Amino acid sequence: MADHDYTGHVEPGGEPMVRDLRHLQIRKLSVGPMDNNAYLLTCRSSRAQLLIDAAADTDALRRMVAAGGEHNGLDLLVTTHSHHDHVGALAEMMAATGARTAAGEADAKEITERIDIPLAHGDVLEFGEQQVEIIHLRGHTPGSIAVLLRAGDEGDHLFTGDSLFPGGVGNTGQDPERFAQLMDDVEQRVFDRLGDDTWVYPGHGDDTTLGAERASLPTWRERGW
């Protein structure tokens, strides 16, 4: 599937949607009873792979990994935050692939499975000839992270977990302080830094862009959720 065919809409229980970039492939899959999105990033030259959120349905995740890598290998398992619906298949995928695991430092202790790499804001993860940057977005959970892939003239690609969706930021438990923190981080660390064409891949549902959401930031802050 060519890049211009990629819409970001996947059906629960359906096949992954593939986005082809020059040096990397992105696969998006909806899994589990809460329709979690799992994303597989594959380095074209080395076939090294990084999976974002082993949420559920180990069989479907393993099929996606096998489709991406000639050696069926997985190098990194990144968890965007500690909520149970985002780690349901983590233990099984660790056992099946031997991949190293990474999660935000403040959430790592809440995850039952071993986390090899506790992540801080600004950290860089490498897989094959590719790298991604970690953006710490506090509020949905203390250690929630987004994963930023910068693809040059093919744009910026931001995997936001449950911190940013079309139409608003993630749930902060009706806690005004947590909401203010998440809004501050999303504005300062994402919208103030990245352009409108940045593609946003959330933890549930359809994709969006920063440009589609930017004008709504004051509305989100005023409504408080």
Side-chain angles (χ1 to χ4, degrees):
M1 177 179 293
D3 181 35
H4 62 263
D5 294 325
Y6 180 86
T7 65
H9 178 76
V10 290
E11 292 293 335
E15 291 301 307
M17 177 167 276
V18 183
R19 185 170 210 169
D20 282 319
L21 305 179
R22 272 197 305 279
H23 303 295
L24 184 131
Q25 284 182 316
I26 299 169
R27 284 173 169 81
K28 177 178 182 177
L29 178 69
S30 176
V31 293
M34 297 184 70
D35 298 338
N36 285 75
N37 294 325
Y39 299 95
L40 181 72
L41 280 55
T42 305
C43 172
R44 284 186 176 277
S45 59
S46 68
R47 310 311 293 182
Q49 301 195 107
L50 179 153
L51 180 68
I52 299 172
D53 284 346
D57 197 342
T58 304
D59 289 343
L61 292 174
R62 290 190 69 181
R63 285 195 299 273
M64 182 167 68
V65 167
E70 295 169 354
H71 52 76
N72 291 0
L74 186 64
D75 300 84
L76 284 167
L77 269 165
V78 178
T79 299
T80 59
H81 63 289
S82 59
H83 285 166
H84 68 91
D85 60 310
H86 289 257
V87 296
L90 181 56
E92 291 180 349
M93 288 300 290
M94 288 169 64
T97 66
R100 290 181 299 150
T101 56
E105 186 172 11
D107 275 23
K109 61 181 179 296
E110 305 297 329
I111 298 172
T112 304
E113 290 72 32
R114 181 194 76 249
I115 300 299
D116 299 313
I117 309 169
L119 297 170
H121 182 64
D123 281 354
V124 173
L125 292 173
E126 296 184 354
F127 60 107
E129 296 183 7
Q130 306 301 316
Q131 63 180 32
V132 292
E133 179 188 332
I134 301 304
I135 301 176
H136 188 190
L137 299 174
R138 299 158 290 188
H140 182 64
T141 65
S144 285
I145 58 166
V147 179
L148 174 63
L149 168 72
R150 312 206 81 163
D153 63 358
E154 292 181 301
D156 293 333
H157 302 260
L158 184 66
F159 302 84
T160 56
D162 285 1
S163 291
L164 177 62
F165 295 98
V169 296
N171 180 18
T172 52
Q174 298 182 317
D175 182 327
E177 289 186 7
R178 284 174 56 194
F179 172 76
Q181 178 68 79
L182 183 53
M183 280 297 306
D184 287 348
D185 278 0
V186 164
E187 287 195 15
Q188 295 165 13
R189 297 181 173 186
V190 174
F191 282 91
D192 287 355
R193 181 181 165 208
L194 301 173
D196 282 351
D197 60 350
T198 301
W199 197 274
V200 175
Y201 306 79
H204 305 263
D206 290 347
D207 299 353
T208 185
T209 64
L210 293 188
E213 309 300 328
R214 190 180 298 274
S216 300
L217 289 170
T219 302
W220 300 351
R221 193 177 284 274
E222 184 177 358
R223 77 188 182 191
W225 56 273

